[in-house]
Amino acid sequence: MSAPSTSPVVRVPLAELQALLQAILQRHGCSQPVAAALAHNCASAQRDGAHSHGVFRIPGYVSTLASGWVDGQAEPQVSDVASGYVRVDAGGGFAQPALAAARALLVEKARSAGIAVLAIHNSHHFAALWPDVEPFADEGLVALSVVNSMTCVVPHGARKPLFGTNPIAFAAPCAGSDPIVFDMATSAMAHGDVQIAAREGQLLPPGIGVDADGQPTCEPKAILEGGALLPFGGHKGSALSMMVELLAAALTGGNFSWEFDWSGHPGAKTPWTGQLIIVIDPSKAEGDRFAQRSRELVEQMQAVGLTRMPGERRYREREVALRDGVAVSEDELQGLKQLLV
Ligand code: NDP
Ligand code: PYC
């Protein structure tokens, strides 16, 4: 995860930051519920130090809304298609309001059938994925989500980019602590982190991407301008990225990462794809034992020397932010305020 900009950092109360983001999104064409859902997501990412998907993303939302590429007023259409299956047509709007619209039905189905699927299509996802799964684990459920993005990753063994950065997020309850959560791009680095490295003038480690000639490069601009990212972990990350294309696009009715053409919408940044969320009620397996078994797993990992769980850095940053305010660079805060004018 990249560090924030080098300009001095100020601390802003979470509610104040969220209200500012909501006002910006409404000012640039989102309805109140859409702006509220996106502002909550984005402020939460900034709170947790998930900088590649915090306030850094707001100019991208704004330019996308201005381009007419996304419908900031879309009203998601929820269909109850089977005992364990909910479909949502996001109407060319954002995925987060689509999840919000279907969430109660999804949880009801997961609790009655033991498992339920939410398939969102015709949707734009421009955010971190963990905010979509973590709340299920807070309610004692296990959740897995995948979303595909835009062509910028070369499949392992191929010559040209095809896949998106295609993240996978997972959340499970754990007795006596915050849920176990991981959220990772299947590319060697998230596109947002490459953009931040380019902005900060930093070189990348080897193995992240290639330039326009397909040659390995550590220069973020060469990746962003005609080059491409690589999957993480060679053929293994590539297979996971392929799986994300199948689950998030083929299964939901959404676009594959290469299927949309935003060239007629200068300023458009948000991938128009699909998202799948699978929710499992672990009480159907062994009553209340799952969260306790999660605890045992964590303790065994710690016993063999693990000092850092996935999600732990975010939870630490969250604690500080809730106490002292959310860290935002002065430059970014000024930039945000300009978007209200
Ligand atoms: P990272 O590589 O920063 O982190 C991936 C996961 O590994 C996190 O859960 C992180 O926990 C954990 N982790 C990191 N370092 C360690 C460590 N040393 N030991 C144990 N666990 C560790 O994330 P990515 O760069 O892959 O992705 C960043 C974000 O980009 C994600 O939120 C993802 O959803 C988003 N994204 C969104 C896309 C979209 O289309 N909407 C596309 C691609 C990415 P922790 O969080 O605590 O650091
Ligand atoms: O960081 O790879 C990324 C990304 C793509 C779409 C939203 N975030």
Side-chain angles (χ1 to χ4, degrees):
M1 184 66 60
S2 297
S5 143
T6 48
S7 101
V9 165
V10 290
R11 294 256 171 201
V12 185
L14 178 63
E16 201 178 295
L17 180 65
Q18 194 169 316
L20 172 63
L21 301 184
Q22 183 173 333
I24 292 168
L25 291 161
Q26 282 187 246
R27 157 90 179 71
H28 290 274
C30 287
S31 64
Q32 189 278 335
V34 170
L38 296 180
H40 179 261
N41 173 293
C42 190
S44 303
Q46 189 73 20
R47 174 201 65 196
D48 283 15
H51 296 292
S52 63
H53 291 79
V55 299
F56 167 70
R57 290 276 155 187
I58 293 296
Y61 281 112
V62 166
S63 68
T64 302
L65 286 158
S67 78
W69 172 242
V70 68
D71 182 357
Q73 313 258 332
E75 293 190 5
Q77 301 302 313
V78 179
S79 307
D80 182 345
V81 289
S83 58
Y85 214 107
V86 184
R87 264 195 112 204
V88 189
D89 180 343
F94 292 101
Q96 289 80 7
L99 166 57
R103 196 176 190 288
L105 181 60
L106 177 66
V107 169
E108 184 191 309
K109 284 183 181 296
R111 291 209 189 278
S112 77
I115 183 165
V117 165
L118 175 62
I120 304 173
H121 70 286
N122 197 8
S123 54
H124 296 245
H125 202 296
F126 195 49
L129 202 51
W130 59 263
D132 298 355
V133 293
E134 194 182 298
F136 291 107
D138 287 330
E139 293 179 49
L141 300 165
V142 176
L144 179 75
S145 184
V146 292
V147 62
N148 60 319
S149 67
M150 65 287 176
T151 289
C152 60
V153 176
V154 186
H156 181 76
R159 290 184 310 279
K160 291 185 178 166
L162 183 73
F163 297 154
T165 42
N166 298 2
I168 302 174
F170 172 81
C174 182
S177 73
D178 289 314
I180 298 173
V181 176
F182 74 76
D183 174 17
M184 54 178 212
T186 50
S187 48
M189 187 175 272
H191 197 262
D193 276 325
V194 182
Q195 291 174 60
I196 289 176
R199 182 187 73 185
E200 309 287 324
Q202 293 163 354
L203 285 180
L204 304 174
I208 302 292
V210 292
D211 64 18
D213 298 322
Q215 296 304 312
T217 182
C218 295
E219 178 52 66
K221 283 192 178 141
I223 293 174
L224 296 173
E225 293 162 15
L229 283 158
L230 297 170
F232 84 88
H235 62 284
K236 299 186 185 186
S238 196
L240 289 174
S241 190
M242 176 184 71
M243 178 193 78
V244 174
E245 293 289 347
L246 287 170
L247 293 180
L251 196 71
T252 63
N255 289 318
F256 286 122
S257 293
W258 61 90
E259 274 186 324
F260 54 88
D261 177 9
W262 49 14
S263 59
H265 297 265
K269 307 276 184 210
T270 60
W272 179 35
T273 57
Q275 178 179 9
L276 190 80
I277 303 177
I278 301 170
V279 177
I280 301 168
D281 179 359
S283 72
K284 296 288 188 286
E286 289 189 288
D288 289 339
R289 247 168 74 75
F290 180 83
Q292 197 49 52
R293 294 290 283 159
S294 297
R295 164 65 33 212
E296 285 167 29
L297 173 65
V298 172
E299 284 171 2
Q300 288 304 318
M301 289 162 76
Q302 290 168 339
V304 295
L306 186 97
T307 56
R308 147 78 149 114
M309 284 289 291
E312 204 175 308
R313 181 197 59 83
R314 282 194 306 102
Y315 292 139
R316 259 201 322 272
E317 298 231 15
R318 183 181 301 181
E319 200 182 327
V320 175
L322 292 178
R323 191 189 59 217
D324 300 340
V326 181
V328 186
S329 79
E330 262 178 23
D331 284 354
E332 282 182 311
L333 195 56
Q334 285 316 314
L336 290 174
K337 288 179 179 165
Q338 287 301 316
L339 292 173
L340 271 181
V341 178

